[in-house]
Amino acid sequence: MQFLKDLRPAAFALAPWTAAILTLAAGVMLLASGATPSEPVRFMRLIQITPVYLIEASHFLSSILGLALVLLSFGLRARLDAAWGATMGALLLAATLALLKGLNWEETAALAALAVLLAPFRGAFPRSSRLTRMEITPGWLFSAACAVVGTGLLGLWSFQHSDYADRPWWRMMADADAERAMRAWAAAALLLFAFGLWRLFVSAATPPVVGETDPDFERVRAILAKAESAEPGSNLALLGDKRFLFSASGESFLMFGVRGRAWVALGAPVGRRDERSELMWRFRELADSHAARPGVHGLSAEDLPEIVDLGFSIQKVGESAAVPLETFSMEGRKRGTARRAWRKLGETGATFEVLEGEAVTAMLPTLQVISDQWLAHHAGGEKSFSMGGFWPGYVQEFPVALVRVDGKPMAFATLWTTAGRSAFSMDLMRYADEAPNNVMDYLFVELINWGRENGYAAFEFGMAPLAGLDDRPLAPMMSRVGRLLFERGEEIYNFQGVRRFKDKYDPLWQPRYCAAPHKWSIPWLMADVGLLSSGGVAGLAKRPRKVEEPKKADEPAAAAA
């Protein structure tokens, strides 16, 4: 008994796919049975004790149930409880009809055995959803159409090679048996066609982009203001370039971008922890229903269990740096450079303040000038999707850390905060042409002090792309290629410079991942993230307006994305 109990979790894990395959086979069997001739001896016995209209109705309904089982197999694969219940009813009804249409006791036994096999696995289909919400992709519909067409061709071949072979095929319609088969097949084909049209029109449309003038944008703000599960990067939801899936309670959302057939979710769902799994499943199913290629970018290690449940492949893409504020100190040899830069700028008249609300609005023209000067020395222009850009409406959503030198604004950073004060981070980091060297070090140290004073647990420096990947003989190919780019790709991006700059603050490095349904689709996902963030190929190719760049000492490349 203990052995059976140990096998139970594995059996429940395999049940959805196994049930889907067996149900699909049962549906094809009923379609084939309805399109082929009845066994003559059995049929003659049946017609002696059963009214003809009951035989006709059973034959017709049996083929319809065959098509229903083919379609229900998709719902079983998605673990829908409604699909399990409908399948059980369809199997038991089809088992009865198999006897009434031609004493096909073998079909009855097979269908009843499948129903008995599925009965104990009700718990393997936990997802509450109506059958009308069952997502069926064009590929699945095409497969079902092939099954219907195949059974029709099988029926045509069967009747041509029976006693009717010496007549033209259209004369078969005169025979009652052939007429029943053709009628049942035609009904199944028409029903499938009608179902395909219905799915075409009722399938949920791609959620629209939610901007700051959209009423749903207020829902996003409200969720961010009280989210129990959120990271500083979750504030990218306010950028105005995302699509959203909201939970049934309205207290959680998942944000994603669309580029062609690619649907890329940015991070895990935001809001309630108990709603994360359901939102991830809905995202994948919605993408499937639109024949899209889903993916998720920017995942932390704690997000991986839900991603594994989706059946996604995972790839490490870098590491993010976080400084625990309770134990952080500027003392020590490793932070000597940053400490000296901070003190020197403070002694020469640098000041730090954090602006909020109306103060940010009043300072926007000055911040715009600083931002334009910074952009003139950096390729690619303003970013989007996974990085913020200087859009006035977006900048006003956040507190702004400002550094003045002799009273004149020289550098600023927009701040991402979290409702639970678990962490905060920077988004935009920009400085003026005349800003002194090491101004960013001064800004970082002051931000760390500000975060500690305001009760935040950690200060996140953001991600170092491709950092921490292994180049071992047995490492995944993507990791080995990423490591090579990290070591040799300084002309493309300052990978090692970003890592060195953040290492000065002795942060905790945490892995970051992306995920996609197949390993081979991960490179496409990475390319889609880059193009979404840069505004397409034109954005990637955009060069700075000036040749000479007054680079600040030890500054992270492109503000360290």
Side-chain angles (χ1 to χ4, degrees), residues 8-9 52 54 83 162 225 229 276 287 298 341 349 352 354 365 392 396 432 437 527 540:
R8 190 173 185 273
V52 174
L54 189 57
S162 67
S229 177
R276 288 159 54 107
F352 170 87
V354 174
Q396 293 177 83
N437 290 334
L540 284 175

Side-chain angles (χ1 to χ4, degrees), residues 257-435:
V258 174
R259 182 180 177 273
R261 290 187 60 240
W263 287 24
V264 183
L266 188 59
V270 178
R272 287 170 42 179
R273 295 185 184 278
D274 60 343
E275 295 181 333
R276 288 159 54 107
S277 180
E278 178 63 22
L279 273 175
M280 292 300 298
W281 268 109
R282 281 183 56 199
F283 170 69
R284 183 169 190 188
E285 290 173 350
L286 188 62
D288 284 344
S289 71
H290 289 81
R293 186 176 66 244
V296 189
H297 177 71
L299 295 164
S300 66
E302 69 176 18
D303 300 324
L304 298 188
E306 280 118 353
I307 294 299
V308 170
D309 286 344
L310 291 181
F312 277 16
S313 297
I314 301 166
Q315 174 63 49
K316 184 178 179 180
V317 292
E319 294 180 327
S320 64
V323 174
L325 298 184
E326 184 178 355
T327 58
F328 180 81
S329 171
M330 282 302 297
E331 302 302 320
R333 186 175 178 182
K334 192 171 185 179
R335 285 181 282 280
T337 302
R339 182 174 64 249
R340 286 190 293 271
W342 169 59
R343 287 176 177 171
K344 182 178 179 180
L345 261 68
E347 291 170 356
T348 57
T351 60
F352 170 87
E353 62 179 314
V354 174
L355 309 177
E356 297 188 60
E358 294 298 327
V360 174
T361 304
M363 187 59 65
L364 272 179
T366 302
L367 300 181
Q368 181 76 68
V369 172
I370 296 174
S371 177
D372 291 344
Q373 291 179 3
W374 184 89
L375 280 175
H377 307 293
H378 293 81
E382 293 288 10
K383 305 301 182 184
S384 58
F385 188 64
S386 64
M387 291 179 281
F390 194 95
W391 317 113
Y394 174 69
V395 173
Q396 293 177 83
E397 296 280 354
F398 310 108
V400 174
L402 182 67
V403 175
R404 301 177 190 265
V405 178
D406 295 329
K408 183 178 180 180
M410 288 292 179
F412 73 91
T414 55
L415 305 183
W416 285 337
T417 59
T418 54
R421 296 183 182 262
S422 58
F424 78 104
S425 181
M426 296 167 295
D427 180 18
L428 304 179
M429 295 180 290
R430 299 185 177 179
Y431 55 83
D433 287 347
E434 62 269 30

Side-chain angles (χ1 to χ4, degrees), residues 374-381 541-549:
W374 184 89
L375 280 175
H377 307 293
H378 293 81
K542 187 175 181 180
R543 312 321 302 166
R545 295 192 297 270
K546 295 183 180 180
V547 176
E548 296 296 329
E549 179 178 345

